[in-house]
Amino acid sequence: MTWNICNPCAVSNVGRAAEIATYAPQVIGLQEACVRDVEMIRDYLENLHGLVYHVEYGTVLQDWGRCGGVPWSPGAFGQAVLSAAPMTDRVVVEYPDGGSEDRGYMAVTAEVGGQRVRVFNTHLAQRREEAVRADQVGVLAAEVARYDRAIVLGDFNAVPEAPELTRMWALAADTDPGCRPSPVSACEPTTDWQSKFDYVFLRGMAPVEHRVRPTPYSDHHLVHTDVDAGAGGQRSADSATAPDA
């Protein structure tokens, strides 16, 4: 599952947890996430829904105004990955140019369907910052290319045919079966403004079922997919594990 949870930002974490619990995915990538919100969502998933998750953070921005805290200890803001199985080998990378605010990606090794998979989670620069996004995709794609088996989750802030996504499409396919890097492809929108900005890219495995769920808790829809983690290629020596995302 991938979900940009902010905007509106100050909404019920009980409601956010209930939306996630609808699918109970093994791996969840959250973007625009304050650490405090993720902690609360994780607690509600366990206490209200009986779903226990491990968590790793990829926060790259200290934001007192957005995430609370105090001036000397502001809240951390960025990405997080929740996994039903323990994760290893966490990496957090801040892009050299974040655009209007600091942006980056995180990566962990998780287990999906009994297979080790490298899972990436990112949030690219805002909509009008195409050149910045192109550079960010270059940084991300260079790392994804090291793995024969990978899941790349995130809010890419770009429609599928955008030139800045070319390097991602060369490495992986989105799990939406009708969505390809063409202006005439039939991509299901993932935002309230009817654009597809949110992706589950697969490398070395096959999608089984793809779902997009509009939600009142964000202007981005919740995107969930089932994958066949054993399909499509051999695992490289440094690749990781994961089942549905």
Side-chain angles (χ1 to χ4, degrees), residues 23 25 112 175 200 202 206-211 224-229 243-245:
Y23 296 112
V112 176
T175 57
V200 178
L202 299 182
V208 176
E209 186 174 0
H210 172 88
R211 310 175 190 90
H224 174 267
T225 188
D226 294 317
V227 306
D228 180 356
D244 61 355

Side-chain angles (χ1 to χ4, degrees), residues 136-156:
Q136 292 172 348
V137 170
V139 173
L140 176 63
E143 183 64 17
V144 173
R146 296 179 55 229
Y147 297 88
D148 292 336
R149 190 186 304 275
I151 299 173
V152 186
L153 309 168
D155 173 6
F156 284 72

Side-chain angles (χ1 to χ4, degrees), residues 2 10 24 61 73 145 151 242:
T2 185
L61 179 65
S73 181
I151 299 173

Side-chain angles (χ1 to χ4, degrees), residues 2 4 31 95 103 105 120-127 129-130 133-134 136-137 140-141 144 151-160 162 164-165 167-169 174 190 196-201 220:
T2 185
N4 182 323
Q31 302 89 41
Y95 293 125
R103 297 284 167 94
Y105 76 82
F120 296 82
N121 183 18
T122 192
H123 184 199
L124 299 189
Q126 293 184 1
R127 275 181 271 182
E129 299 177 318
E130 293 88 349
R133 284 198 303 275
Q136 292 172 348
V137 170
L140 176 63
V144 173
I151 299 173
V152 186
L153 309 168
D155 173 6
F156 284 72
N157 266 322
V159 295
E164 61 266 30
L165 297 190
R167 291 190 64 180
M168 275 308 306
W169 286 111
D174 184 61
T190 66
K196 178 177 173 64
F197 278 9
D198 306 274
Y199 297 81
V200 178
F201 283 111
H220 286 257

